[in-house]
Amino acid sequence: MDRPWLRAAQKLKYKDPRPFLINLRKIELELAESATPDKVKNLRTNGLKQAREQRQAALFCEGMSHRIGQTVYFAAHEDQDFDFVASWIVGGEQHMAQVQLKEVVPKSLNADAELTSLIHGLAKYTNSSGLTVAIHLNQSGRFEPNQLNLQHLNVASVWVFAAAVPDQSLWNLWGNFTEENPFGTQYAYPTEA
């Protein structure tokens, strides 16, 4: 990452994923009981794309927060190769990662959507050694993380996150798939305590 980009990224407005997700869940529960069209409830309109991507960014960063034991913040910043910037503090030093969001959409939206096709598409990132790829596996079914070998990709890291239960109260984060021994972390969708 070059210095001008780092300076610009340090000035972004970062959000804590926990309160963001808690507030979003309140809205989701209200909408679930309403006559609002499903496309709106599921953030599937063009006008709600940014909200959907912020939700995915927050879910990924919440998982990473559990994984590393400290808060990982996010800031929307669409660029050519990434959708948001993740940031965390270690020893008083700010660290940042450029994150590209990908989604394996539900079968109801695209019956042909599958993780392997999406992963084959990652080969286009030929000069992205600083890029983190976060894949939202938004389908029910079984995921076999030990069958993925992505060490050949020219990106910094590849992670997969997905709801572990239908009500999305529990989530899984697997990765880093560009390393030898990726593993999973389970975490709860945050709630007010």
Side-chain angles (χ1 to χ4, degrees):
M1 292 183 232
D2 60 19
R3 287 212 181 278
W5 182 86
L6 285 171
R7 281 194 295 276
Q10 287 172 334
K11 294 177 184 175
L12 294 174
K13 183 180 178 195
Y14 290 89
K15 297 177 185 177
D16 184 333
R18 186 173 191 78
F20 178 86
L21 289 169
I22 289 170
N23 290 331
L24 185 60
R25 181 53 60 112
K26 290 176 189 174
I27 296 167
E28 290 171 340
L29 292 174
E30 287 176 23
L31 285 175
E33 302 296 320
S34 73
T36 304
D38 285 344
K39 279 187 169 189
V40 174
K41 288 180 185 179
N42 297 318
L43 306 174
R44 290 289 170 190
T45 66
N46 288 338
L48 294 172
K49 179 183 179 208
Q50 184 179 23
R52 182 177 66 247
E53 287 181 351
Q54 285 196 7
R55 179 181 188 266
Q56 291 172 346
L59 286 165
F60 172 70
C61 287
E62 180 69 10
M64 289 302 294
S65 296
H66 284 269
R67 178 75 165 236
I68 67 173
Q70 60 192 46
T71 303
V72 176
Y73 300 88
F74 69 99
H77 183 74
E78 281 204 41
D79 194 284
Q80 199 170 23
D81 285 340
F82 61 96
D83 296 307
F84 73 95
V85 178
S87 179
W88 61 101
I89 308 290
V90 176
E93 184 179 333
Q94 183 179 19
H95 296 264
M96 289 176 276
Q98 299 169 342
V99 184
Q100 173 67 54
L101 284 170
K102 297 291 183 183
E103 180 184 15
V104 181
V105 298
K107 293 287 187 184
S108 61
L109 293 177
N110 180 352
D112 298 328
E114 56 183 48
L115 182 60
T116 53
S117 298
L118 189 145
I119 287 170
H120 289 298
L122 296 179
K124 72 180 180 182
Y125 296 108
T126 56
N127 191 18
S128 302
S129 60
L131 184 68
T132 294
V133 178
I135 302 169
H136 179 199
L137 182 55
N138 196 359
Q139 294 182 351
S140 57
R142 189 153 176 84
F143 171 56
E144 298 291 340
N146 60 344
Q147 294 181 358
L148 287 182
N149 181 356
L150 305 176
Q151 294 175 354
H152 64 283
L153 291 176
N154 188 26
V155 294
S157 60
V158 178
W159 302 85
V160 176
F161 63 103
V165 293
D167 71 357
Q168 298 187 7
S169 61
L170 199 59
W171 286 76
N172 289 317
L173 171 72
W174 298 276
N176 167 12
F177 288 102
T178 62
E179 295 177 351
E180 269 189 49
N181 296 310
F183 61 94
T185 300
Q186 195 163 73
Y187 59 103
Y189 191 103
T191 58
E192 286 183 297

